[in-house]
Structure formats: C-alpha cells, structure tokens
Amino acid sequence: LVGGGSLFTIPVLILLGLPPTIAIGTNRLGVTGMDLSGWYKFHQKKLVNHKFGLILAVPAVIGSFIGANIVLAVNEALLKKVIAVLTMTILIIIMTKPTIGLKRQVHELKKSRIIFGGVLSFVIGIYGGFYGAGAGTFLAYVLILVFGQTFLQSAGTRKMANLALSAIAAIVFAFKGVINYPLAIVLFVGGFIGCYLSSHYAEKIGNIWIKRLFAVIVAVMAVRLLL
C-alpha cells in the first residue's frame, strides 16, 4: 500500500542465513507477487494511470537491468546515505504541503515533465535492480510530485513500473544463480495475498491515512539507510 516492504524482507532473509546478494535476488523475485496482485486490484478500481505507469516502467526496466548487473561493484553504503538524505528532504516537502497527495493536482503533461519523470525512474530502476528496498516508495514520489497523483493513485500506478523493474532484475539474478527459489516462492505467495488485501481496502483507508503511513515508512527507511 505504501511501499517499503523490502526494508523488512531483505534483513529477514539475511537473518535466515542467506548471503546479502542471494537475499537481494530472492527478494526481487518474491516481490513480483506483491506487484502483480496490486496492479490487478488497483486496475479493477480504476486507480491505475497506464500512461504514467508506462512512462515510468520503460526507463525503470533499463535502469534495473544495469543495477542488477553491477550489484557487486557499487559502493552501496555511500549510495544508501545519499538516498536517505534525499528521501528525508522530499518527505519534508510532502508533509509541509497539506494538499500534496490528498487530491489530484492538475498538471499539463509537458514533454519536460515526461523527460524528468523518465530520468528519475531510470535512476530508481538502477537502485531497484541492485538493492530495491524502497524503490516503490521513490516511484510514488515521482507520481505525486511530478505527475500530481494522489497517494491512492500512485499506489496503483507505480505497481506497473515496480513489477517491470522487479521482473527484469529477477531474470538477471536467476541467470547469476543467486535466487533461493523455495524462499522466493514463499515471499511471492505472501506478498500476493498481502497486497491484494491492502489494495482491496485502500479506498476505505483513504488518502489521509495512507499519507500518514507513507510518512512513517519513509522515515523508518531513511533512518535504516543512514545507519
């Protein structure tokens, strides 16, 4: 519903004894279940803007392919700290502007917005490919701040890009032989059911509570990345 699930699943997989790279690969395959059911359910509710989703999905796939291939060659600690600072900055912007994410902001879909959103999605895709925790949350930022969607709309629309980047990363990790398939299947099934339920009740929860949950998850994510 608000993203950030990999903040919990990746550490749990490592605690279960998986090496970090295998934990990341296993998680990438597992979360496709969550993205798949969420996309389906939000599509039923007509809360998916497929045009925006496609704008984000294409560059995210390219970025994810790159990220999954350089997972062992990047200074992950430094990158996570930079992302944490940017995350807290954007969170402050969202929380200090009461209407952001609560009602649809009318933005003309100019070429500059499409390019800007695509570039951001490409960068998020790289991050999602080699680590991934919070990638969906970052995509929600783009949909809310650049394309003017509400939290509910962004929760549905970002599932397209999330599914695409997770799937391509999972394929790369599968070729590298760094997926624990029994655990990935457990994650897939659990994520599928959990996301189906949350998206089913999303409208009853409403944008205000989703925004609050979003803020909490993002704050936790930023602190974890910094530490």
Side-chain angles (χ1 to χ4, degrees), residues 62-167:
I62 299 170
S64 181
F65 180 81
I66 295 171
N69 277 287
I70 61 174
V71 66
L72 299 176
V74 175
N75 187 331
E76 185 179 313
L78 176 61
L79 182 61
K80 286 195 289 186
K81 286 179 171 54
V82 172
I83 291 171
V85 173
L86 292 173
T87 298
M88 290 303 292
T89 302
I90 299 173
L91 178 61
I92 291 170
I93 293 172
I94 285 179
M95 298 311 294
T96 53
K97 293 184 178 294
T99 60
I100 285 184
L102 298 184
K103 58 183 180 180
R104 176 81 168 91
Q105 305 292 316
V106 180
H107 292 318
E108 184 182 347
L109 195 58
K110 296 180 179 178
K111 187 176 180 180
S112 58
R113 283 188 179 274
I114 295 174
I115 294 173
F116 185 48
V119 170
L120 291 176
S121 184
F122 172 74
V123 174
I124 294 167
I126 294 176
Y127 170 73
F130 80 82
Y131 185 63
T137 305
F138 295 134
L139 289 170
Y141 275 146
V142 176
L143 289 166
I144 293 167
L145 296 176
V146 179
F147 296 109
Q149 288 202 309
T150 66
F151 280 95
L152 266 173
Q153 291 168 335
S154 73
T157 302
R158 67 182 165 86
K159 291 292 187 293
M160 288 182 64
N162 238 32
L163 178 60
L165 73 85
S166 293

Side-chain angles (χ1 to χ4, degrees), residues 16 29 68-69 152 187 211:
L16 289 174
L29 179 56
N69 277 287
L152 266 173
L187 280 178
K211 185 173 184 177

Side-chain angles (χ1 to χ4, degrees), residues 159-218:
K159 291 292 187 293
M160 288 182 64
N162 238 32
L163 178 60
L165 73 85
S166 293
I168 194 68
I171 291 171
V172 172
F173 286 126
F175 275 107
K176 287 176 177 283
V178 290
I179 293 178
N180 182 305
Y181 288 98
L183 287 175
I185 291 170
V186 171
L187 280 178
F188 184 97
V189 174
F192 189 97
I193 296 170
C195 194
Y196 185 91
L197 292 174
S198 68
S199 55
H200 179 75
Y201 293 106
E203 289 168 306
K204 293 182 180 180
I205 297 171
N207 278 305
I208 292 176
W209 276 102
I210 291 177
K211 185 173 184 177
R212 291 169 181 169
L213 288 169
F214 186 86
V216 172
I217 292 295
V218 169

Side-chain angles (χ1 to χ4, degrees), residues 5-74:
S6 295
L7 290 168
F8 306 101
T9 53
I10 292 177
V12 167
L13 289 172
I14 293 173
L15 286 173
L16 289 174
L18 295 187
T21 304
I22 296 180
I24 293 170
T26 302
N27 183 72
R28 278 298 93 194
L29 179 56
V31 298
T32 57
M34 180 171 57
D35 298 326
L36 191 61
S37 69
W39 183 12
Y40 170 73
K41 196 63 184 174
F42 278 111
H43 171 71
Q44 279 190 325
K45 293 173 175 285
K46 302 187 185 302
L47 287 171
V48 177
N49 186 313
H50 290 89
K51 184 175 183 179
F52 290 169
L54 192 61
I55 290 172
L56 265 61
V58 173
V61 163
I62 299 170
S64 181
F65 180 81
I66 295 171
N69 277 287
I70 61 174
V71 66
L72 299 176
V74 175

